[in-house]
Amino acid sequence: MVGIFRQKNPGNAMILLIYGLILKFPLFLHRPAPLRQLEDNYLYKLILDGLRPFAGESGFVYGLLAFLLLYLQANLLNRVANSIKLFPKPNFLVGMSFLLVSSLLPEWNQFSSTLIVNFLLIWIFYGITTWYNSPRPLSAIFNTCLLLGVLPLFYSPCVAYIVLLILAIIITRPLRVGEWVVAAVGFLAPYYFLFIILYLANNLRPYDLVPKVSFHLPRLPASLWITFGILLLVVPFLIGGWFVQDNLNKMLIQVRKCWSLVLVVLLVGLLIILVNPGDNYQHWFLSSIPLTSFHAATYYYPQKRTFPLVLHWVIFAFAIAANYFG
């Protein structure tokens, strides 16, 4: 499979769909329910209220929506990686890695606020990568920050992405006060419009919308399945990081900045893990973009094909076992 996805063929999109169906088929074997968490905010609750009349509290619809979101994210992230030339040659390894990574912890396959946020986060990541050489930087920054401001309205701990906004401007743009003001206006605009709508509807409860932030240590694994799943997330990530560092001097400046932004997304993802301890590992999913990127590097860069091939089938076998029997 690694050899197939190393190439960019039109038929690989269909192979990726079949690959995803094999990994995610347990979604259709049961009546999955959408994940509800204390940190879910107004927009996600609104979506659940809209789905409840015809989808019920649980059922096939939520499994289908979760699968479609995961498959679309795999394709979208793969297109973004090829567009910004994250690797020297276009390939489907990023899409493959995303479906594989998202299968290591079964709860990542549930329909949830973090699943929606991650979909938007891929668009935001792509938008940020265009700031470096955008002919209209103010427009690009406002549009991206507007979308970034929507994230906490789905999932409260996403207020931590203010750190992403700050570091992204520092990495990609020279110091210009006007751009910082535009970024702040864009980030706050969704709250402004939502407050107006709720006020006119006589339903304004601002304290319910403002994120409540507290810091906690990460939750320890409760089973061997989770322990091995986290291990298979971290080890290929570290190997991929070594390969990226080893090839950094061969990359263009723009590509180096993109890898720096990948690390910034990881940094904020780790911050969200500290902000929200939760009773599960769903919020860890917001680190899937950097994890996927470095996993793909582990499969792409080795000269000898045996190592990535063996690693892939080990992770694939564990993902199958965890999702079907775990």
Side-chain angles (χ1 to χ4, degrees):
M1 295 303 292
V2 174
I4 294 174
F5 288 122
R6 278 181 63 87
Q7 305 168 6
K8 190 177 185 295
N9 296 324
N12 279 2
M14 181 57 66
I15 297 174
L16 191 67
L17 175 61
I18 297 170
Y19 185 84
L21 283 171
I22 295 172
L23 285 169
K24 312 294 185 183
F25 192 70
L27 282 172
F28 306 104
L29 295 177
H30 311 288
R31 291 178 54 85
L35 188 65
R36 293 175 174 85
Q37 304 172 92
L38 291 175
E39 296 79 14
D40 294 337
N41 213 337
Y42 181 79
L43 293 183
Y44 179 66
K45 294 176 181 176
L46 195 65
I47 290 174
L48 291 184
D49 291 341
L51 289 173
R52 189 175 293 113
F54 64 91
E57 294 294 334
S58 62
F60 175 80
V61 172
Y62 296 109
L64 180 62
L65 287 174
F67 176 77
L68 290 176
L69 278 172
L70 288 165
Y71 178 70
L72 288 173
Q73 287 179 52
N75 270 287
L76 179 60
L77 187 56
N78 197 84
R79 289 176 66 88
V80 168
N82 289 333
S83 176
I84 63 179
K85 295 179 172 57
L86 209 57
F87 297 99
K89 295 181 181 179
N91 57 76
F92 271 81
L93 288 174
V94 174
M96 181 201 79
S97 297
F98 181 86
L99 291 176
L100 203 55
V101 163
S102 62
S103 301
L104 290 176
L105 296 178
E107 56 198 6
W108 285 4
N109 296 319
Q110 284 184 272
F111 183 76
S112 64
S113 56
T114 49
L115 193 58
I116 298 173
V117 164
N118 201 64
F119 180 71
L120 298 176
L121 190 59
I122 296 173
W123 284 106
I124 291 166
F125 173 72
Y126 178 65
I128 291 174
T129 61
T130 65
W131 290 359
Y132 177 70
N133 53 4
S134 174
R136 300 174 60 190
L138 290 180
S139 176
I141 290 173
F142 178 82
N143 292 337
T144 306
C145 292
L146 184 68
L147 192 55
L148 194 64
V150 172
L151 300 188
L153 296 178
F154 282 101
Y155 185 62
S156 296
C158 287
V159 70
Y161 282 108
I162 292 176
V163 177
L164 173 63
L165 189 157
I166 295 170
L167 294 179
I169 295 180
I170 292 173
I171 291 171
T172 60
R173 302 296 304 169
L175 181 59
R176 291 173 183 161
V177 176
E179 293 179 355
W180 286 85
V181 173
V182 167
V185 171
F187 186 84
L188 295 174
Y191 271 99
Y192 173 76
F193 289 114
L194 183 60
F195 282 170
I196 290 177
I197 293 171
L198 294 178
Y199 176 76
L200 293 176
N202 197 27
N203 192 31
L204 180 60
R205 296 191 298 272
Y207 292 106
D208 293 341
L209 297 175
V210 176
K212 300 172 179 61
V213 178
S214 59
F215 289 89
H216 307 266
L217 292 175
R219 183 167 173 260
L220 294 176
S223 71
L224 288 178
W225 288 107
I226 295 175
T227 303
F228 280 112
I230 294 174
L231 186 66
L232 291 176
L233 284 173
V234 173
V235 172
F237 165 78
L238 295 176
I239 296 172
W242 184 85
F243 279 117
V244 170
Q245 180 65 34
D246 192 50
N247 289 273
L248 208 58
N249 293 332
K250 304 174 186 177
M251 300 178 186
L252 299 174
I253 294 176
Q254 172 66 6
V255 179
R256 294 182 196 175
K257 287 182 178 290
C258 289
W259 279 109
S260 297
L261 291 171
V262 169
L263 289 175
V264 170
V265 176
L266 176 65
L267 175 65
V268 180
L270 295 175
L271 184 61
I272 288 177
I273 292 173
L274 295 176
V275 167
N276 171 31
D279 55 0
N280 54 48
Y281 293 91
Q282 189 64 40
H283 53 295
W284 291 38
F285 185 64
L286 297 178
S287 299
S288 62
I289 294 175
L291 287 172
T292 295
S293 302
F294 284 101
H295 273 237
T298 304
Y299 300 126
Y300 182 86
Y301 282 112
Q303 297 298 321
K304 295 182 179 180
R305 303 301 180 213
T306 306
F307 170 70
L309 191 64
V310 171
L311 180 64
H312 166 265
W313 286 116
V314 168
I315 297 177
F316 183 85
F318 176 84
I320 292 292
N323 283 278
Y324 284 80
F325 311 111

